[in-house]
């Protein structure tokens, strides 16, 4: 297992339980104590968790704290990949779309390179870098200017002015948090203003957000839930959250990411017959 994959699993376990001991993590990953301790030191230096004697604990979050791209890109990797793959199917040849900054939208960008005659407006340095690397003459990338955020987004008056002069078919947006009352939120005031301009420039608002974003409230609102046209998330979203979203969002797409549990008492022949 690659170091990045190990560290992502460690982060997931620590965040799920609030903390974990080295012995638990070595059993989970099948590696040595020394390897786990080195990974914990690396994650601690990056501010992803707090290393304590014998293990690690989860970091507390605040409404005005904005995690960097390096942090978010290690979280919920399988879920983001599944969401991004499905979201790419919404994009058609000849469209003009906008993509916001974030690790899920960065993952999405890697699935857009083969769509013909595509124009992408983005305030994400990471997204622009991925698309520029395709070197396709029929792929136009418009990068807004602005001030750089920890998530490698460009925000502020320069970005807003550039966006307000454009009109796109849809904006695909990653968010810091989604809440029943607060709607779509971010810890960054300038990012909220920039993303609002993107929403106003688009005919359709598509939100890509894994289950961990539910119930998280950032300092500034981007838009209420009723402004969302389509929301894509994964099947670890709580049932209550799915009900709330379905009441306010016209289209909620829940992508399966969890492997089905194996039942040793189930007859495989009967299961096949049921499926047929």
């Amino acid at each position: 297992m690659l170091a990045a994959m190990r560290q992502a699993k460690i982060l997931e376990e620590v965040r799920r339980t609030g903390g974990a001991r080295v012995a638990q993590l070595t059993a989970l990953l099948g590696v040595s104590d020394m390897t786990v301790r080195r990974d914990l030191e690396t994650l601690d230096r990056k501010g992803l968790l707090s290393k304590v004697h014998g293990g690690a604990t989860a970091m507390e979050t605040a409404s005005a704290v904005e995690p960097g791209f390096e942090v978010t890109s290690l979280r919920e990797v399988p879920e983001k990949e599944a969401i991004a793959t499905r979201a790419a199917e919404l994009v058609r040849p000849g469209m003009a779309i906008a993509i916001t900054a974030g690790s899920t939208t960065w993952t999405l960008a890697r699935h857009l390179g083969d769509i013909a005659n595509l124009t992408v407006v983005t305030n994400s340095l990471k997204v622009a870098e991925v698309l520029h690397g395709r070197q396709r003459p029929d792929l136009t990338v418009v990068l807004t200017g602005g001030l750089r955020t920890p998530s490698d987004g460009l925000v502020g008056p320069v970005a807003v002015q550039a966006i307000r002069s454009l009109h796109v078919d849809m904006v695909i947006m990653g968010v810091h948090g989604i809440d029943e009352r607060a709607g779509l939120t971010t810890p960054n005031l300038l990012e909220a203003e920039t993303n609002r301009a993107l929403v106003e420039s688009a005919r359709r608002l598509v939100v890509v957000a894994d289950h961990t974003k539910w119930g998280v409230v950032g300092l500034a609102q981007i838009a209420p839930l009723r402004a969302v046209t389509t929301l894509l998330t994964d099947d670890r979203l709580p049932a209550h959250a799915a009900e709330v979203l379905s009441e306010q969002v016209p289209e909620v797409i829940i992508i399966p990411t969890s492997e089905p549990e194996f039942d040793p008492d189930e007859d495989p022949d009967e299961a096949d017959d049921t499926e047929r």
Side-chain angles (χ1 to χ4, degrees):
M1 185 183 296
L2 297 175
M5 295 175 64
R6 282 200 316 272
Q7 291 165 17
K9 285 186 174 293
I10 290 172
L11 271 178
E12 182 178 1
E13 181 65 13
V14 170
R15 291 181 64 195
R16 184 180 68 83
T17 61
R21 294 187 175 276
V22 171
Q24 294 173 302
L25 296 173
T26 56
L28 175 67
L29 300 171
V31 296
S32 68
D33 286 8
M34 187 63 69
T35 298
V36 168
R37 292 181 192 278
R38 283 200 299 267
D39 285 339
L40 292 179
E41 289 173 358
T42 298
L43 294 169
D44 182 81
R45 285 196 304 270
K46 293 179 178 179
L48 299 174
L49 51 70
S50 180
K51 187 175 181 293
V52 297
H53 180 69
T57 59
M59 298 290 288
E60 294 185 2
T61 59
S63 62
V65 175
E66 182 178 6
F69 179 84
E70 187 176 7
V71 173
T72 59
S73 63
L74 289 175
R75 296 175 177 170
E76 284 70 49
V77 175
E79 288 85 351
K80 290 175 181 177
E81 182 66 30
I83 292 169
T85 301
R86 180 65 179 85
E89 297 176 5
L90 302 177
V91 182
R92 299 285 183 262
M95 275 188 168
I97 66 171
I99 302 178
T100 69
S103 56
T104 307
T105 50
W106 167 72
T107 304
L108 166 71
R110 304 205 305 268
H111 294 274
L112 299 179
D114 295 328
I115 299 176
N117 300 313
L118 186 65
T119 299
V120 178
V121 178
T122 184
N123 69 323
S124 168
L125 293 168
K126 296 291 187 182
V127 168
E129 182 180 22
V130 169
L131 295 175
H132 178 71
R134 302 292 298 196
Q135 295 293 313
R136 289 188 50 172
D138 62 340
L139 175 59
T140 301
V141 181
V142 180
L143 180 63
T144 70
L147 303 173
R148 189 171 184 170
T149 70
S151 59
D152 281 337
L154 299 175
V155 301
V158 173
V160 170
Q161 186 172 356
I163 293 164
R164 283 179 177 167
S165 66
L166 303 172
H167 300 280
V168 296
D169 296 305
M170 74 169 69
V171 55
I172 303 178
M173 180 176 293
V175 294
H176 173 78
I178 304 176
D179 182 76
E180 181 175 0
R181 294 185 178 181
L184 313 177
T185 62
T186 172
N188 191 308
L189 291 170
L190 291 178
E191 183 174 46
E193 181 185 16
T194 303
N195 282 356
R196 281 195 293 270
L198 285 167
V199 172
E200 292 170 1
S201 75
R203 297 177 182 175
R204 181 179 180 186
L205 171 56
V206 176
V207 174
V208 288
D210 66 75
H211 68 280
T212 65
K213 304 300 177 68
W214 177 257
V216 176
V217 179
L219 179 64
Q221 185 190 64
I222 300 167
L225 287 180
R226 63 178 179 274
V228 180
T229 309
T230 302
L231 186 142
L232 296 95
T233 188
D234 63 87
D235 58 359
R236 294 176 66 186
L237 184 76
H240 168 69
E243 292 176 4
V244 170
L245 289 171
S246 64
E247 291 173 358
Q248 300 195 51
V249 179
E251 183 179 31
V252 178
I253 301 174
I254 298 179
I255 298 98
T257 58
S258 306
E259 294 184 3
E261 295 184 1
F262 173 70
D263 184 354
D265 296 326
E266 182 181 14
D267 187 334
D269 293 332
E270 290 182 4
D272 289 343
D273 291 340
T274 302
E275 290 176 2
R276 287 193 291 268

